[in-house]
Amino acid sequence: MFTVALVGGLHSDARRAAVDRLLADVPGSVALHHDLATAPATGTVARTVRDATGVLSAGETPLVNDCACCALREDLVPELARLRDSGLTRLAVVELWDSVEPKAMAEVVAAAGFRIGAVVTAVDPALLLPYLGNGDDLADVGLAAAATDRRTVADTWARQLEYAPVLAVAEGADLDPGADADADRALLDQLHPTALRIPVGGGGLAAAVFAGFDVEAAAAAQHPACALLPQDADEHGVATYVWHHHRPFHPERLYAALEGLTCAATRSRGRFFLADRPDTLLAWDAAGGALCVESHGPWLVSLPEAAWEMVPPVRRAAAALDWHPEHGDRCQHLVFTSPGLDREGLAELLGSCLLTDAEYAAGRASWKGLASAFDTLLEV
């Protein structure tokens, strides 16, 4: 059966090593790669197809609306169809360019009817912390996928890492003894505790890429309402702190604390709600000292029961596990992961942002009268 595996990640050397390993270990495998680096100068995206012996074909595809990533999307499916129809290819390894995120590409491939065997992110543990702490815009380091690309190195790398259920771990720093290597491994373990981690130099990657990948389940696992967030941990100087509460945040006090909370950890994410908009589920996503806050629609408790049937079962199950007799599935669930994490300081700062007893007792009508400090972030 023709199978597609996506291998991505900003750690380009580790990514190429993982792809080379697959080509060497899987008979009938080819790698398809679109190089977006050529786009600004040539107005095209360069495509190569290779196997373990070398390049089989090369070509170019023009930009679509001045967007290299859009050109990749339009060219990818016909190329995969050509490889499938040739009858010679068992495994097509799509090696994603540095800043291309696997979620969008996996959804494109699945929508076209191809079987996805796995989505893999390649990781060099020694580069994990530097990339998560890098707040530079992709455009400033030559890695933007379009003229309008406003992503940063840190948030892009975080999404690449957390989406993939399989991590191909490069040899070298991960295998060397020492405190730094231990801390690197602890950080990787805590950021994505459910991932299958396979050394690139081992033989397990070839089997993993045929296991099967569920695009809908992967998307649900990233949705803030039901994401499998990391748990409390503390190992080798790296800690994960889970903060959970059902009382609403005071919008102005939380907004004033955003810089301190964002910079308190290398990576933080989760879901929360504000007293002035208690029916809106807000997502917290921070890396590299930058925070993104987005609305993800209503909490389930805010919907009429008849509408619950239109909500994916995984979200209903997640809500049931955390149901509060007064607030339903509304909650503050934020997770902070970092070396040298100050748990006590975080707990104190977060607690100070909640409604006081008197403010809480005043009720929802009073809460909705509070100043909407987050309007600029949410572009309301």
Side-chain angles (χ1 to χ4, degrees):
M1 178 184 292
F2 180 77
T3 299
V4 178
L6 279 68
V7 181
L10 279 164
H11 298 172
S12 55
D13 289 342
R15 187 186 70 235
R16 293 188 193 104
V19 173
D20 288 344
R21 184 73 194 196
L22 287 170
L23 294 181
D25 289 353
V26 180
S29 61
V30 300
L32 171 61
H33 179 60
H34 289 81
D35 188 347
L36 277 60
T38 61
T42 66
T44 61
V45 171
R47 177 206 325 115
T48 56
V49 178
R50 64 187 178 98
D51 64 9
T53 66
V55 175
L56 300 175
S57 66
E60 297 179 338
T61 186
L63 298 188
V64 175
N65 298 324
D66 199 31
C67 173
C69 204
C70 301
L72 163 58
R73 288 191 185 96
E74 292 208 0
D75 193 64
L76 179 60
V77 169
E79 282 298 307
L80 289 175
R82 183 182 63 80
L83 291 170
R84 178 197 59 199
D85 296 344
S86 72
L88 303 174
T89 302
R90 177 188 178 204
L91 174 69
V93 181
V94 178
E95 182 188 350
L96 301 175
W97 188 67
D98 300 49
S99 68
V100 174
E101 296 188 27
K103 181 177 184 293
M105 293 301 108
E107 291 172 352
V108 167
V109 172
F114 296 103
R115 179 184 185 270
I116 301 179
V119 173
V120 180
T121 292
V123 183
D124 181 340
L127 298 178
L128 180 57
L129 183 58
Y131 276 61
L132 276 176
N134 188 339
D136 290 344
D137 290 342
L138 292 175
D140 292 337
V141 294
L143 294 176
T148 56
D149 195 341
R150 296 294 179 265
R151 295 174 297 156
T152 69
V153 172
D155 63 42
T156 302
W157 171 237
R159 285 188 293 271
Q160 290 177 335
L161 177 72
E162 292 158 0
Y163 180 77
V166 179
L167 302 180
V169 181
E171 295 181 351
D174 189 58
L175 302 179
D176 290 340
D180 289 343
D182 288 339
D184 292 338
R185 283 193 295 270
L187 181 59
L188 184 59
D189 290 345
Q190 292 179 35
L191 287 169
H192 198 345
T194 63
L196 175 63
R197 288 177 288 281
I198 301 175
V200 171
L205 196 57
V209 295
F210 288 100
F213 179 80
D214 187 327
V215 169
E216 291 185 2
Q222 297 303 307
H223 192 286
C226 46
L228 295 175
L229 298 174
Q231 301 298 305
D232 276 298
D234 194 343
E235 186 180 11
H236 299 296
V238 178
T240 293
Y241 174 57
V242 179
W243 189 80
H244 194 275
H245 212 288
H246 283 283
R247 182 170 290 197
F249 276 125
H250 187 287
E252 289 182 310
R253 289 201 294 273
L254 180 62
Y255 189 84
L258 288 183
E259 182 176 356
L261 293 171
T262 301
C263 296
T266 301
R267 176 73 171 135
S268 57
R269 56 193 178 118
R271 55 189 179 270
F272 69 103
F273 74 108
L274 300 169
D276 64 312
R277 54 182 92 211
D279 294 332
T280 303
L281 188 162
L282 299 174
W284 177 289
D285 193 319
L291 170 68
C292 177
V293 173
E294 290 183 322
S295 169
H296 279 260
W299 297 93
L300 287 191
V301 72
S302 305
L303 296 173
E305 287 191 21
W308 286 27
E309 293 303 317
M310 296 183 287
V311 175
V314 65
R315 181 172 176 187
R316 297 199 301 270
L321 290 172
D322 197 30
W323 197 263
H324 187 273
E326 181 180 356
H327 297 293
D329 59 328
R330 295 187 193 94
C331 69
Q332 322 294 4
H333 188 167
L334 301 176
V335 178
F336 300 81
T337 299
S338 186
L341 194 69
D342 180 5
R343 293 170 177 263
E344 291 75 16
L346 268 171
E348 182 178 353
L349 182 55
L350 287 162
S352 72
C353 298
L354 295 171
L355 294 184
T356 64
D357 290 345
E359 290 166 340
Y360 185 73
R364 289 184 54 153
S366 176
W367 305 347
K368 290 188 175 181
L370 297 171
S372 298
F374 278 72
D375 279 358
T376 53
L377 278 181
L378 295 170
E379 298 182 355
V380 176

